[in-house]
Amino acid sequence: MPQYQAVKGARDIFPEEAARWKHVEGVVHALAALYGFNEIRTPVFEYTELFQRGIGSTTDIVGKEMFSFQPDPNGRSITLRPEMTAGVMRAALQKNILGTAPVQKLYYISELFRKERPQAGRQRQFSQFGAELLGVSSPAAVAEVITFMMQVFDSLGLRGLRLRINSLGGTHDRLRYREALQAYFSPYRQKLDTPSLERLEKNPLRILDSKNPDLQEIVSGAPKLYDYLDTEALDDFDKVLFYLSERGIAFDIDHRLVRGLDYYCYTAFEVTGTELGAQDAVGGGGRYDGLARELGSSSDIPAAGFAVGMERLLMTMEKQGLFTALKLQAPLVYVVLQQQEYTDVAMQVTFRLRKSGIRTEADLAGRSMKSQMREANRLRCSFALFIGENEVATGQYTLKNLVTSEQSTLPLDRLIEILHEPASGE
Ligand code: AMP
């Protein structure tokens, strides 16, 4: 085994796979432009407090799952970002971009870091694409965020992803619900596991997320948040669902879907795939009007967003056979050197072809002409351009079409024109 290995939970992406990533990223960028979302890039690390804001609640990310360190002995702790939303909101507040334009539509494709136990579909370094719509709280805004996400899936050709959706109501709705949950779970104290007992005091909503099979029966009998929503929340939710239905976006209402953090409100959603095994969540999101205040804003800032795991998205696409037609882009021309003494001419010709925008490869290792031809075929080049004594003497080069075997011998400028003709593949 080689001496050095990638860190557990992190992985290398080689060219064939990188081509898949670029394809997916291209679709995300194109649809973001279509929907009017602009890209934001925030630092990979932030001061730890940003993610650990005196949160009384028990969340999975905050605390135990972060890579934090202190760069200077007495310095402030910094953390590799485990999520993007807090960083995006921090950036928006720091630069007061909402002061200039009251609605901000931002998106990102970014690397994140979580100190989780690595397993299939769960890494310590992974990527998400996502969007954050800041400054408006209408059902239309929430529907826009969801529609953007679903159109990305659709454009990538994905099938069978399931969108589950719920409303968490406003703060007052959840306070009443929280009390109802505490009253419901308290008599079961003996049966609850340790995480659920901790959550009972701090954030009983999270008990509903428990994957512990022994608790499923108790959990399924718990009161439903939906029954605690006031008319305003119900109307808001109906409107979101109306927009989705109108756009032909299928969804399942799932009253058990909750988000653990206090700043979430109203619509919450999650997308799952059937090909992913235990880690079946592809993405999720919702409204988080309360986050800005937690980050020091004097008032709530209405906001909605989503995040989709790129690795799980790519894994699902692979399982659905959506990458079969995707190949690395082949060079158009291979410059074949007949005699080594003309290497300098070959390098110059290669440069001129590239400068004129033609994808060109040439041998850098002094290999035989036969090896060069083999390499041209391996790379699936369409043409070979030969450089030998005659070519150098006359300034006319022979271009061979490797598919049809047709040849023409012409000055380089003329060959470049031919290579630029659409039939050449350029
Ligand atoms: P979250 O930010 O936890 O709501 O996660 C949003 C999406 O990111 C999930 O649905 C997953 O697709 C993806 N994701 C979250 N954590 C990981 C991880 N450790 N490894 C790979 N993907 C992840």
Side-chain angles (χ1 to χ4, degrees):
M1 202 193 282
Q3 186 176 358
Y4 294 107
Q5 307 281 313
V7 172
K8 212 163 168 243
R11 52 191 290 276
D12 305 302
I13 296 173
F14 287 98
E16 297 272 347
E17 197 192 342
R20 299 172 171 195
W21 281 75
K22 272 197 281 190
H23 167 66
V24 173
E25 288 160 3
V27 168
V28 171
H29 290 306
L31 287 177
L34 190 68
Y35 277 81
F37 284 83
N38 297 305
E39 187 175 4
I40 183 162
R41 301 184 187 203
T42 63
V44 168
F45 45 40
E46 299 272 0
Y47 288 118
T48 301
E49 306 94 88
L50 179 69
F51 306 114
Q52 220 171 24
R53 313 167 288 272
I55 285 191
S57 53
T58 55
T59 80
D60 287 338
I61 304 176
V62 176
K64 63 177 190 213
E65 290 191 349
M66 305 198 304
F67 286 105
S68 302
F69 53 98
Q70 236 172 325
D72 314 303
N74 299 314
R76 284 162 80 180
S77 166
I78 64 179
T79 291
L80 297 181
R81 60 186 179 201
E83 49 126 346
M84 280 299 286
T85 307
V88 169
M89 185 62 95
R90 194 258 320 128
L93 294 172
Q94 185 174 343
K95 195 143 191 235
N96 188 25
I97 53 173
L98 289 158
T100 334
V103 175
Q104 292 285 338
K105 294 165 70 175
L106 304 167
Y107 82 102
Y108 57 83
I109 304 177
S110 303
E111 261 89 43
L112 305 178
F113 306 85
R114 291 183 192 171
K115 204 191 279 176
E116 309 187 87
R117 192 172 56 80
Q119 62 186 84
R122 202 207 257 170
Q123 297 167 218
R124 290 185 151 185
Q125 178 182 332
F126 64 100
S127 300
Q128 287 182 343
F129 88 85
E132 316 289 359
L133 203 165
L134 311 180
V136 258
S137 63
S138 62
V142 175
E144 179 152 317
V145 160
I146 299 177
T147 310
F148 168 34
M149 178 184 73
M150 296 306 281
Q151 194 168 336
V152 171
F153 298 148
D154 208 40
S155 298
L156 291 171
L158 282 155
R159 299 169 302 273
L161 292 181
R162 180 170 170 234
L163 170 67
R164 290 181 303 126
I165 191 162
N166 192 19
S167 177
L168 309 178
T171 319
H172 46 287
D173 299 318
R174 276 200 314 285
L175 274 179
R176 283 191 298 142
Y177 180 56
R178 197 186 153 108
E179 283 163 18
L181 279 183
Q182 278 165 340
Y184 171 81
F185 283 117
S186 290
Y188 293 109
R189 269 174 190 283
Q190 303 299 333
K191 295 193 175 154
L192 294 182
D193 54 17
T194 318
S196 299
L197 276 174
E198 264 173 40
R199 289 166 176 170
L200 181 59
E201 299 310 322
K202 294 179 179 164
N203 193 352
L205 261 80
R206 291 276 294 155
I207 303 179
L208 305 178
D209 269 352
S210 171
K211 302 265 182 324
N212 183 346
D214 299 341
L215 296 183
Q216 294 313 304
E217 203 183 319
I218 302 175
V219 166
S220 65
K224 300 206 171 10
L225 173 53
Y226 201 71
D227 296 326
Y228 291 78
L229 302 188
D230 64 13
T231 352
E232 190 195 334
L234 289 172
D235 287 349
D236 178 280
F237 192 46
D238 279 349
K239 196 78 200 187
V240 173
L241 301 183
F242 164 76
Y243 285 129
L244 297 182
S245 308
E246 247 200 346
R247 296 169 196 180
I249 297 174
F251 55 82
D252 294 324
I253 297 172
D254 180 352
H255 293 315
R256 281 190 54 192
L257 180 82
V258 293
R259 304 231 121 203
L261 300 173
D262 286 343
Y263 55 76
Y264 283 107
C265 57
Y266 298 97
T267 309
F269 53 91
E270 193 166 281
V271 174
T272 46
T274 47
E275 284 98 349
L276 290 169
Q279 303 299 322
D280 67 348
V282 177
R287 251 177 77 179
Y288 52 93
D289 300 3
L291 176 63
R293 197 193 281 269
E294 278 193 15
L295 298 188
S297 161
S298 54
S299 57
D300 280 2
I301 292 180
F306 70 82
V308 168
M310 290 287 283
E311 286 79 4
R312 293 190 199 169
L313 188 66
L314 271 102
M315 214 187 295
T316 311
M317 288 180 69
E318 174 162 20
K319 295 237 160 97
Q320 296 191 1
L322 297 172
F323 289 127
T324 43
L326 204 65
K327 296 239 159 45
L328 291 181
Q329 200 177 29
L332 189 68
V333 180
Y334 199 97
V335 175
V336 179
L337 192 58
Q338 287 165 313
Q339 285 106 357
Q340 290 306 322
E341 64 210 82
Y342 301 122
T343 301
D344 294 351
V345 182
M347 290 299 111
Q348 199 193 12
V349 167
T350 303
F351 173 71
R352 279 187 59 194
L353 289 170
R354 286 179 179 157
K355 191 88 178 158
S356 80
I358 293 165
R359 295 189 310 284
T360 308
E361 240 342 310
D363 177 44
L364 299 173
R367 282 180 287 192
S368 71
M369 196 169 144
K370 203 167 146 205
S371 308
Q372 294 177 58
M373 289 306 290
R374 213 181 296 127
E375 183 65 0
N377 282 324
R378 192 186 70 79
L379 293 171
R380 296 181 293 111
C381 297
S382 306
F383 296 92
L385 192 147
F386 294 97
I387 308 225
E389 195 178 343
N390 272 347
E391 284 78 4
V392 174
T394 60
Q396 305 232 355
Y397 297 86
T398 301
L399 183 73
K400 179 175 178 183
N401 184 320
L402 295 175
V403 182
T404 62
S405 293
E406 271 174 72
Q407 292 198 174
S408 23
T409 303
L410 291 164
L412 192 58
D413 286 344
R414 184 65 200 110
L415 290 179
I416 288 176
E417 277 170 28
I418 294 175
L419 288 165
H420 273 300
E421 284 164 11
S424 304
E426 220 36 9

